[in-house]
């Protein structure tokens, strides 16, 4: 059935549009959740009475600040910083920081809103939040990155705390940036509080598997969807967009599970390697040398690079969008389905447009939305918080087992809720409903706060 907003919920959505003009990505994320909630209000009239949907759509707190810094030529630069503390019914605000020139309030709010339900699905005690800046790390020197991160943290630090708000990485924020921010926090506060950031280095409070977690987790989620249809990754041809943190570890796990990834991309274009992407080479280029993906050709002559090409034109059985929002539209989805794709797992947040989602749902393929499929990253961040709180560090094997178990549980929750609410196999409804009910119950219990 084509998704639509129930008539009881429609006025709430209109109010969100009126109160948040121009924030198109936020509208899209809210709409997608609200489309699932009509039947929930029928079963749970108390959520209507307590105005839970209206309250959940309004962030608890939004912080916007100036970030001044100096570039290597001595010029003063000004960026804008954001932290949206969306919902703390289940725990301290938790969600990454994104540094990308496209960042504005609408992007941070869409990400923060999705984060509420994603974090609820993990079953761990974490609320939802998100932040970032319109700073572009591309082409900047390490010194410039450090000066920017220090200035950003000089404002943000006062809002953080192990029991208050615990950011992590996202696009443009990896181990290097987390390091500079943690250093500045420690200097300003004179406190070694490991629990205020996750994604830390392994020598100073980080968790094994955190780097791999989002990609590994998304792949485990797809594995569960395939299993539910009596299938597996074995021998499957796969495409993975992006070539950042999420994409790289998605490729690694797919290869470990017997699939073959033939293409990946960056914002310049995509690489097609029919022998399978050489992961070691990709990591050298992207993680260590921070180069463009087209340089892959210098080392693998048989591969092809298509500048500004559309990776979704490549025939595959499993597609894992792992770059950014709205990177896969209705036409792309139709092309994928026509070419034989029968499973899509979103490593990125909201990478498929509403038209694309409609195509996947109508085709009846296994479609795992980001808020369920990529929850392994934040789940492992919560495991990092547990290790910090107990001043312990777990082995890689144990942490990965925990991650795999969490992804299996999330899959089961989505699967069962989709069935219970009359849309079997629809993981979008399953994820939205399961996540929402958990947060809504906590909000009702805590009264009007
Ligand atoms: P990275 O910065 O490590 O990598 C991002 C990748 O996506 C790069 O290859 C980048 O190419 C590409 N990309 C980014 N923006 C665009 C754009 N506008 N158009 C085309 N390509 C683009 O980020 P992550 O791998 O951490 O994040 C990828 C996605 O996964 C995001 O949607 C993020 O929100 C989501 N996610 C990340 C989690 C994490 O733990 N890191 C957790 C859950 C979700 P280029 O270098 O050319 O810009």
């Amino acid at each position: 059935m084509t998704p639509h907003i129930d008539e009881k919920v429609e006025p709430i959505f209109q109010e969100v549009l009126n109160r948040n003009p121009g924030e198109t990505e936020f509208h899209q994320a809210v709409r997608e959740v609200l489309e699932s909630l009509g039947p929930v209000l029928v079963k749970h009239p108390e959520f209507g009475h307590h105005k839970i949907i209206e309250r959940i759509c309004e962030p608890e707190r939004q912080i916007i600040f100036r970030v001044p810094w100096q570039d290597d030529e001595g010029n003063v630069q000004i960026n804008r910083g954001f932290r949206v503390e969306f919902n703390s019914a289940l725990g301290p605000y938790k969600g990454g920081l994104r540094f990308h020139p496209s960042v504005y309030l609408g992007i941070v709010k869409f990400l923060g809103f999705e984060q509420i339900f994603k974090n609820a699905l993990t079953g761990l005690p974490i609320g939802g939040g998100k932040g970032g800046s319109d700073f572009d790390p591309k082409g900047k020197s390490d010194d410039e990155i450090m000066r920017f991160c220090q200035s950003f943290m000089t404002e943000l630090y006062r809002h953080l705390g192990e029991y208050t708000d615990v950011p992590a990485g996202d696009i443009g924020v990896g181990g290097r940036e987390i390091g500079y921010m943690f250093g500045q926090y420690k200097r300003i506060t004179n406190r070694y509080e490991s629990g205020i950031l996750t994604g830390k280095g392994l020598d100073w409070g980080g968790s094994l598997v955190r780097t791999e977690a989002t990609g590994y987790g998304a792949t485990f989620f797809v594995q569960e969807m395939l299993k539910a249809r009596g299938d597996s990754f074995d021998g499957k041809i796969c495409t993975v967009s992006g070539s950042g943190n999420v994409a790289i570890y998605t490729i690694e796990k797919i290869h470990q599970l017997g699939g073959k990834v033939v293409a990946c991309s960056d914002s310049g274009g995509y690489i097609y390697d029919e022998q399978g992407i050489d992961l070691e080479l990709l990591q050298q280029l992207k993680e260590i040398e921070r180069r463009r993906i087209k340089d892959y050709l210098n080392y693998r002559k048989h591969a092809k690079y298509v500048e500004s090409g559309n990776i979704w034109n490549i025939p595959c059985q499993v597609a894992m969008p792992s770059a950014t929002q709205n990177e896969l539209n209705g036409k792309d989805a139709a092309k994928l389905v026509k070419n034989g794709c029968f499973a899509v797992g979103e490593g990125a947040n909201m990478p498929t447009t509403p038209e694309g989602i409609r195509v996947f749902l109508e085709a009846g393929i296994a479609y795992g939305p980001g808020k369920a499929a990529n929850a392994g990253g934040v789940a492992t961040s919560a495991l990092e918080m547990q290790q910090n709180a107990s001043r312990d560090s777990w082995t890689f094997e144990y942490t990965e087992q925990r991650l795999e178990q969490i992804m299996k549980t999330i899959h089961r929750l989505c699967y069962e809720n989709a069935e219970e609410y009359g849309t079997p196999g629809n993981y979008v409804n399953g994820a939205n409903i399961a996540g929402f009910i958990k947060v809504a119950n906590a909000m009702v219990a805590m009264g009007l706060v």
Side-chain angles (χ1 to χ4, degrees):
M1 208 171 75
T2 310
H4 69 282
I5 298 192
D6 185 276
E7 57 182 22
K8 286 186 294 306
V9 184
E10 181 66 39
I12 305 176
F13 182 59
Q14 287 308 321
E15 185 61 17
V16 169
L17 296 181
N18 294 340
R19 286 169 72 93
N20 305 280
E23 297 176 358
T24 48
E25 295 84 359
F26 178 53
H27 302 163
Q28 182 182 335
V30 170
R31 182 180 184 101
E32 194 235 89
V33 171
L34 265 47
E35 281 174 350
S36 303
L37 296 184
V40 178
L41 287 188
V42 175
K43 257 198 188 169
H44 293 275
E46 73 277 15
F47 295 159
H49 174 68
H50 289 282
K51 293 222 180 333
I52 296 296
I53 303 181
E54 290 89 330
R55 282 158 62 191
I56 245 177
C57 290
E58 184 68 21
E60 291 176 11
R61 193 174 296 106
Q62 308 183 54
I63 301 144
I64 304 182
F65 51 100
R66 182 174 66 193
V67 190
W69 58 282
Q70 218 169 12
D71 67 21
D72 286 345
E73 280 73 52
N75 301 312
V76 171
Q77 304 281 347
I78 313 288
N79 286 95
R80 187 171 287 174
F82 301 89
R83 187 71 183 165
V84 173
E85 298 181 332
F86 227 116
N87 192 294
S88 60
L90 297 181
Y93 310 106
K94 185 87 199 85
L97 298 169
R98 176 178 291 193
F99 292 168
H100 192 272
S102 63
V103 167
Y104 77 107
L105 191 58
I107 296 247
V108 180
K109 279 168 70 177
F110 116 64
L111 290 164
F113 184 74
E114 294 239 301
Q115 198 82 43
I116 303 170
F117 308 101
K118 177 188 308 191
N119 292 4
L121 287 171
T122 67
L124 297 163
I126 39 181
K130 199 83 187 188
S133 173
D134 57 0
F135 172 74
D136 187 359
K138 229 176 274 167
K140 302 287 190 299
S141 69
D142 278 357
D143 283 348
E144 289 175 321
I145 300 279
M146 181 178 75
R147 288 196 291 273
F148 175 81
C149 289
Q150 289 177 340
S151 181
F152 185 83
M153 188 49 100
T154 301
E155 171 58 33
L156 188 66
Y157 87 96
R158 70 189 84 243
H159 306 290
L160 305 187
E162 180 185 357
Y163 299 109
T164 309
D165 187 352
V166 187
D170 190 77
I171 290 178
V173 178
R176 175 182 56 169
E177 291 74 18
I178 294 287
Y180 293 146
M181 287 191 270
F182 186 73
Q184 183 72 351
Y185 180 92
K186 184 169 74 60
R187 185 182 192 192
I188 294 174
T189 60
N190 194 29
R191 288 172 71 86
Y192 203 108
E193 294 180 79
S194 304
I196 58 105
L197 279 175
T198 58
K200 298 182 293 295
L202 296 177
D203 296 329
W204 41 279
S207 170
L208 286 163
V209 192
R210 176 59 190 94
T211 305
E212 295 83 355
T214 308
Y216 278 19
T219 312
F220 287 141
F221 190 90
V222 173
Q223 186 183 33
E224 290 305 300
M225 293 199 300
L226 292 172
K227 231 191 256 171
R229 292 169 177 236
D231 209 336
S232 76
F233 264 110
D234 203 25
K236 300 294 182 299
I237 299 295
C238 310
T239 52
V240 177
S241 63
S243 49
N245 172 266
V246 178
I248 284 175
Y249 293 98
T250 298
I251 296 171
E252 180 166 81
K253 188 47 78 181
I254 291 176
H255 287 171
Q256 287 173 9
L257 295 176
K260 180 159 88 168
V261 178
V262 295
C264 62
S265 60
D266 63 18
S267 56
Y270 71 78
I271 283 287
Y272 175 71
D273 184 344
E274 72 176 339
Q275 295 175 11
I277 294 292
D278 179 336
L279 185 66
E280 217 175 299
L281 172 57
L282 187 70
Q283 284 182 291
Q284 179 66 30
L285 291 174
K286 288 304 220 177
E287 288 188 322
I288 298 171
E289 297 175 24
R290 298 180 192 273
R291 284 161 66 182
R292 307 307 298 161
I293 206 170
K294 70 168 179 242
D295 295 339
Y296 187 95
L297 285 192
N298 301 341
Y299 305 88
R300 293 287 173 273
K301 302 287 180 210
H302 62 269
K304 270 195 232 138
Y305 174 68
V306 182
E307 186 142 350
S308 309
N310 183 348
I311 192 171
W312 311 123
N313 288 336
I314 301 170
C316 66
Q317 292 154 309
V318 179
M320 299 197 55
S322 306
T324 194
Q325 65 276 357
N326 292 327
E327 54 163 315
L328 196 166
N329 64 25
K331 265 192 184 158
D332 300 328
K335 186 76 165 259
L336 279 167
V337 171
K338 180 163 165 269
N339 284 337
C341 176
F342 51 77
V344 175
E346 295 183 339
N349 285 310
M350 209 169 74
T352 309
T353 64
E355 298 72 37
I357 295 175
R358 208 157 291 146
V359 170
F360 290 145
L361 293 180
E362 281 170 11
I365 71 164
Y367 166 65
K371 68 170 76 66
N374 72 34
V378 73
T380 309
S381 275
L383 301 183
E384 182 174 330
M385 290 162 75
Q386 284 185 24
Q387 293 168 77
N388 292 155
S390 58
R391 298 184 194 277
D392 195 2
S393 51
W394 305 342
T395 63
F396 193 96
E397 291 69 27
Y398 175 71
T399 317
E400 191 184 1
Q401 269 171 26
R402 291 281 303 262
L403 168 65
E404 185 168 7
Q405 197 48 53
I406 289 168
M407 296 314 298
K408 283 184 174 168
T409 306
I410 295 176
H411 174 271
R412 186 171 44 74
L413 264 177
C414 297
Y415 189 90
E416 289 175 357
N417 275 276
E419 271 198 348
E420 186 183 336
Y421 284 84
T423 51
N426 183 331
Y427 291 95
V428 177
N429 279 344
N432 289 339
I433 293 170
F436 176 81
I437 289 179
K438 202 152 186 220
V439 181
N441 280 332
M443 288 174 73
V444 170
M446 288 177 196
L448 189 54
V449 290

